[in-house]
Amino acid sequence: MSKQIMADNNQGFVNSILKEDPHYFERLKEGQSPEYFVIACSDSRVSPSIVANMPLGSMFVHRNIANQVTDDDTSLNASLYYALKHLKVKKIVIKGHTSCGGIEAACSGNNENELKSWISKIKKGLPDTCNLSQQELSKQNILQQIENLKSHL
C-alpha cells in the first residue's frame, strides 16, 4: 500500500466521521476517558477497536505478539499504570485470537535469535504439547495471561 493510498484512506475516514458529526474530533481533543484497557496481539488482522466495533476513545490499547502479560515488559507496565492511575479505566480485557503467529511460533519451536526471548514467554503460557486446536491454544494463552495479570497487579 502506498503512502498516498494511506493518506487518502485517512482523509476518507475523517470525512465520513465529520459528515456524521462535525464536532467529533473536537471532542476527542478534549481528552480521553476510555472504559477499557485492552491487551491484544499485534497481529494486523485483529485490530481491537475495529473487531469490537468500538468508537475512538473507548479503548486504551497495548499490543504485543500473542497478547502477553509479563513483569519485565516496561511498555506494558507503563500502559497498565497509565490506564489505571490516570485514565481510571473500569475494565481490563485480554484479547486473543486463533491462528496467532506467536502461538504458532512457540509451538513449532521457532528459535530465531530476534524472537527467541519473546517466544519463550509465550511457551510458558501454553501446555507442554501443542496438540490442541487453535481455539483451545488461544484460550489457554489468554487464561495464562489473566493469571499473569492477577499476580502483576
Side-chain angles (χ1 to χ4, degrees):
M1 179 180 303
S2 74
K3 288 191 276 185
Q4 187 57 51
I5 290 172
M6 286 180 60
D8 291 346
N9 286 350
N10 179 253
Q11 191 58 55
F13 169 77
V14 169
N15 292 343
S16 69
I17 297 273
L18 291 175
K19 185 177 180 180
E20 293 292 318
D21 181 354
H23 303 288
Y24 186 81
F25 293 108
E26 291 169 26
R27 284 194 307 279
L28 284 181
K29 286 180 190 177
E30 294 172 7
Q32 59 177 321
S33 55
E35 186 173 348
Y36 300 96
F37 176 58
V38 180
I39 302 167
C41 183
S42 298
D43 192 303
S44 63
R45 302 167 293 178
V46 289
S47 181
S49 49
I50 292 174
V51 300
N53 198 23
M54 298 291 282
L56 297 176
S58 60
M59 297 175 147
F60 189 69
V61 180
H62 174 83
R63 295 178 75 171
N64 64 48
I65 298 171
N67 45 276
Q68 298 297 288
V69 176
T70 63
D71 289 334
D72 61 347
D73 182 345
T74 58
S75 179
L76 171 68
N77 293 342
S79 296
L80 179 61
Y81 176 84
Y82 189 79
L84 294 172
K85 175 87 171 160
H86 295 279
L87 298 177
K88 311 258 189 263
V89 298
K90 295 176 179 42
K91 299 174 182 120
I92 299 174
V93 175
I94 300 177
K95 166 101 181 63
H97 66 99
T98 56
S99 299
C100 176
I103 292 174
E104 290 172 2
C107 286
S108 70
N110 182 309
N111 205 20
E112 293 175 59
N113 238 11
E114 293 78 5
L115 300 174
K116 192 180 341 184
S117 174
W118 195 258
I119 289 173
S120 71
K121 297 172 191 313
I122 298 168
K123 283 182 184 178
K124 290 178 186 175
L126 299 175
D128 289 336
T129 176
C130 286
N131 293 335
L132 301 171
S133 69
Q134 290 277 335
Q135 187 170 3
E136 190 57 35
L137 286 170
S138 177
K139 180 179 176 181
Q140 291 300 314
N141 181 53
I142 292 168
L143 291 173
Q144 181 60 55
Q145 302 324 304
I146 292 169
E147 290 306 311
N148 293 351
L149 184 61
K150 285 179 186 177
S151 66
H152 193 72
L153 296 174

